[in-house]
């Protein structure tokens, strides 16, 4: 038999955060979802517990001494060995791409020691020397989940819902802050704050991971085609299937170079999304983006209608994005994303005059059909309905008729460049492409 193609390099995701941040729940959800999408998922356990739970534990007299440095070096060596062993095991699978989910990584040791001690850990005599940059390069994505102690929802000690948790709320906050400070230098850091609805927090973690996998091309090549609905009744039925989700995403760039933006994402019901689609189709798509000002409201009909649909939305989340461009090598550019509070979102908007902002409003419908994942979207001010789907899909739902020509997606190549070293490959820069948020904002979407 012909030898099957190698599945490619593993993708390493680190979940980090202070006590009671939800890492265990996030790991379980990610494992289930990624497995369902055809990935080989391996969860790498936290290293310190392996030693501390199977020994007399950390001795108080070690604190601040060389014994603590030596202990952290033991943890570091063990973690490197664990990661390499899991990566090697992942390589045994003949076809599936691997995602390693780490509850802890080599950098976590820095959280528990001083900077001076950390330097000693990295260069401890008798051990292979490491730099912090080399350790960071081992990981493709870091997701920091903030502790719920930040919002006063933290329980600990006897009589609580977690009597085994010994950190006080103040200690939990301090450890969370130290953890974020330690991981701040990773170029692919994502920060998820505590949310009143824990499911929203977990969903945001899943969104960050899914987005990173698509940008790296690990979910397989995606295609984008313009389309139109040719069977309205079948389309309405598809839109109301229970697994369908819909959202309204408003993005605003707050700098001249369109490198920094804030984004508000709101959940819509399928019916509200359909209402927006019908309005856009019947009136919006036929009107130029430079729609005349409505004297009664002082707003363009686009903006007024966007506000109308926004009023019917639920579960708002806010995010700041920064496209960091390397002046020497464009391929080393990367995108940082951070969830922010609502007030920070509006402060960012206020930092730039309204007439000088470039914004876009996108309506997205996500659905499954014949086990394939699809996204259908349009921009207010744009004239195309676009279907995003897997290149492996043999056909699309019969309610759609695809337009001519492929819409190139440079951020979703099927071929993943090999690693030049132990670190991750160069990140693909996001470029201005057809039907992108950047294009819609630049040209009035």
């Amino acid at each position: 038999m012909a030898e099957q193609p190698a599945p490619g390099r593993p993708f390493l995701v680190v979940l980090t955060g202070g006590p009671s941040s939800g890492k265990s729940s996030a790991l379980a959800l990610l494992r289930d979802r990624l497995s369902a999408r055809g990935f080989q998922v391996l969860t790498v356990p936290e290293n310190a517990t392996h030693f501390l739970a199977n020994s007399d534990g950390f001795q108080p007299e070690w604190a601040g001494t060389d014994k603590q440095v030596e202990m952290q070096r033991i943890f570091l060596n063990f973690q490197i060995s664990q990661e390499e062993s899991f990566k090697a095991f992942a390589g045994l699978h003949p076809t599936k791409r691997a995602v390693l989910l780490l509850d802890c990584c080599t950098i976590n040791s820095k959280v528990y020691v001083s900077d001076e001690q950390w330097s000693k850990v990295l260069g401890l005599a008798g051990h292979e020397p490491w730099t912090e940059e080399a350790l960071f390069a081992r990981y493709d994505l870091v997701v920091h989940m903030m502790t719920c102690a930040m919002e006063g929802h933290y329980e600990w000690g006897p009589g609580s819902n977690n009597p085994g948790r010994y950190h006080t709320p103040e200690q939990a906050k301090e450890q969370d802050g130290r953890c974020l400070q330690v991981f701040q230098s990773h170029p692919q850091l994502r920060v998820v704050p505590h949310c009143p609805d824990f499911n929203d927090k977990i969903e945001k973690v899943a969104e960050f991971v899914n987005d990173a996998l698509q940008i790296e091309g690990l979910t397989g090549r995606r295609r984008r085609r313009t389309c139109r609905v040719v069977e309205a009744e079948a389309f309405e039925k598809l839109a109301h299937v229970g697994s369908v989700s819909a959202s309204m995403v408003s993005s605003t760039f707050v700098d001249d170079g369109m490198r920094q933006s804030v984004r508000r994402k709101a959940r819509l019901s399928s019916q509200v999304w359909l209402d927006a689609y019908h309005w856009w189709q019947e009136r919006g798509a036929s009107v130029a983006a430079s729609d005349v000002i409505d004297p009664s409201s002082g707003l363009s009909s686009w903006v007024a209608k966007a506000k109308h649909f926004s009023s019917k939305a639920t579960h708002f989340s806010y995010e700041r994005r920064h496209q960091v461009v390397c002046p020497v090598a464009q391929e080393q550019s990367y995108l940082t994303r951070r969830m922010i509070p609502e007030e920070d979102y509006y402060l960012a908007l206020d930092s730039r005059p309204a007439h000088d902002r470039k914004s876009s409003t996108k309506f997205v419908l996500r659905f499954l059909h014949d086990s394939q994942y699809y996204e259908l979207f349009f921009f207010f001010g744009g004239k195309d309905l676009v279907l995003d789907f897997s290149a492996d899909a043999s056909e699309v739902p019969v309610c759609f008729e695809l337009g001519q020509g492929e819409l190139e997606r440079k951020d979703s190549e099927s071929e993943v460049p090999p690693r030049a070293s132990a670190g991750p490959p160069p990140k693909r820069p996001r470029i201005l492409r057809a039907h992108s948020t950047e294009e819609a904002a630049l040209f009035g979407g």
Side-chain angles (χ1 to χ4, degrees):
M1 294 181 62
E3 188 173 325
Q4 297 189 22
R9 65 177 184 85
F11 189 85
L12 273 68
V13 179
V14 177
L15 293 186
T16 187
S20 192
S21 59
K23 290 185 295 179
S24 298
S25 299
L27 280 169
L29 178 136
L30 289 171
R31 182 178 61 243
D32 292 345
R33 288 198 179 179
L34 295 175
S35 296
R37 294 192 66 175
F39 285 99
Q40 177 194 180
V41 183
L42 300 89
T43 54
V44 183
E46 187 263 333
N47 58 51
T49 300
H50 185 78
F51 291 95
L52 300 179
N54 294 287
S55 68
D56 286 343
F58 178 78
Q59 303 302 303
E61 60 268 22
W62 296 351
T65 70
D66 286 344
K67 291 289 186 182
Q68 187 177 18
V69 170
E70 292 172 15
M71 180 188 74
Q72 292 298 344
R73 183 66 202 216
I74 291 170
F75 292 168
L76 174 62
N77 291 344
F78 181 73
Q79 182 67 23
I80 292 173
S81 177
Q82 266 203 131
E83 291 173 8
E84 294 305 316
S85 296
F86 271 89
K87 286 193 282 188
F89 188 81
L92 299 177
H93 200 288
T95 57
K96 285 187 176 181
R97 288 197 181 277
V99 177
L100 270 61
L101 302 177
L102 289 79
D103 186 18
C104 171
C105 73
T106 55
I107 306 292
N108 281 87
S109 288
K110 186 179 180 181
V111 175
Y112 304 99
V113 295
S114 67
D115 290 346
E116 181 182 358
Q117 286 179 305
W118 176 239
S119 295
K120 290 181 179 179
V121 171
L122 295 178
L124 193 64
H127 298 267
E128 178 184 358
W130 281 92
T131 65
E132 190 169 303
E133 291 75 16
L135 294 179
F136 268 136
R138 296 175 62 85
Y139 312 111
D140 298 286
L141 180 71
V142 175
V143 181
H144 178 90
M145 302 176 65
M146 296 181 70
T147 174
C148 68
M150 296 294 185
E151 301 294 333
H153 299 152
Y154 184 80
E155 294 193 33
W156 66 291
S160 72
N161 63 359
N162 193 338
R165 183 175 293 133
Y166 61 88
H167 293 92
T168 68
E170 289 306 315
Q171 289 172 332
K173 292 179 188 178
E174 182 179 352
Q175 184 174 323
D176 190 277
R178 171 63 174 167
C179 188
L180 182 56
Q181 179 189 41
V182 164
F183 283 95
Q184 193 73 45
S185 300
H186 194 280
Q188 297 298 329
L189 173 68
R190 308 289 186 258
V191 181
V192 183
H194 173 68
C195 301
D197 185 339
F198 183 68
N199 289 329
D200 290 342
K201 185 177 187 178
I202 297 297
E203 288 294 334
K204 195 63 183 181
V205 173
E207 179 188 327
F208 280 151
V209 173
N210 183 63
D211 179 74
L213 291 173
Q214 290 196 42
I215 297 302
E216 288 298 304
L218 301 185
T219 58
R221 183 170 174 78
R222 304 286 297 175
R223 302 169 63 191
R224 277 185 176 176
R225 298 278 291 274
T226 58
C227 68
R228 66 187 186 95
V229 175
V230 292
E231 294 187 15
E233 186 175 342
F235 176 54
E236 294 272 343
K237 184 177 180 180
L238 180 150
H240 283 99
V241 173
S243 59
V244 167
S245 65
S247 60
M248 174 182 178
V249 183
S250 302
S251 299
T252 302
F253 292 87
V254 293
D255 69 318
D256 292 334
M258 297 182 68
R259 298 293 182 183
Q260 299 185 47
S261 63
V262 288
R263 188 180 84 151
R264 183 182 72 168
K265 181 179 179 181
R267 191 180 304 170
L268 300 178
S269 68
S270 294
Q271 188 56 56
V272 172
W273 189 93
L274 285 170
D275 291 343
Y277 163 73
H278 289 309
W279 184 88
W280 168 81
Q281 180 191 45
E282 294 168 6
R283 182 177 186 278
S286 64
V287 179
S290 57
D291 193 12
V292 296
I293 298 297
D294 178 356
S296 64
S297 64
L299 299 170
S300 73
S301 59
W302 290 107
V303 176
K305 207 63 180 178
K307 286 182 173 289
H308 166 74
F309 291 120
S310 178
S311 70
K312 298 178 179 293
T314 59
H315 295 83
F316 292 88
S317 63
Y318 304 89
E319 185 179 314
R320 178 183 288 277
R321 296 185 172 198
H322 183 199
Q323 179 74 45
V324 182
V325 179
C326 176
V328 179
Q330 289 288 314
E331 68 273 10
Q332 295 291 345
S333 301
Y334 58 89
L335 179 74
T336 64
R337 297 172 59 181
R338 176 190 293 265
M339 284 191 73
I340 57 175
E342 180 181 6
E343 55 268 29
D344 287 358
Y345 170 80
Y346 285 105
L347 282 173
L349 293 185
D350 292 341
S351 69
R352 193 170 183 87
H355 68 272
D356 204 22
R357 299 176 195 156
K358 294 181 175 64
S359 302
S360 67
T361 301
K362 179 181 180 180
F363 289 81
V364 188
L365 189 75
R366 304 171 187 84
F367 60 92
L368 294 172
H369 177 75
D370 290 342
S371 300
Q372 294 284 349
Y373 173 74
Y374 294 83
E375 288 189 0
L376 181 71
F377 66 87
F378 61 90
F379 287 96
F380 264 21
K383 295 186 177 182
D384 289 320
L385 184 65
V386 179
L387 188 65
D388 183 298
F389 55 100
S390 170
D392 297 331
S394 57
E395 59 183 25
V396 301
V398 296
C399 55
F400 300 112
E401 179 180 271
L402 297 179
Q404 297 297 316
E406 197 83 15
L407 305 178
E408 190 175 22
R409 287 201 58 165
K410 296 270 188 183
D411 66 346
S412 186
E413 298 292 340
S414 58
E415 294 298 324
V416 178
R419 294 175 189 257
S421 62
K427 302 295 177 184
R428 292 189 182 88
R430 289 183 175 241
I431 62 170
L432 184 64
R433 65 176 188 273
H435 302 90
S436 66
T437 298
E438 292 84 354
E439 182 199 61
L442 188 62
F443 300 114

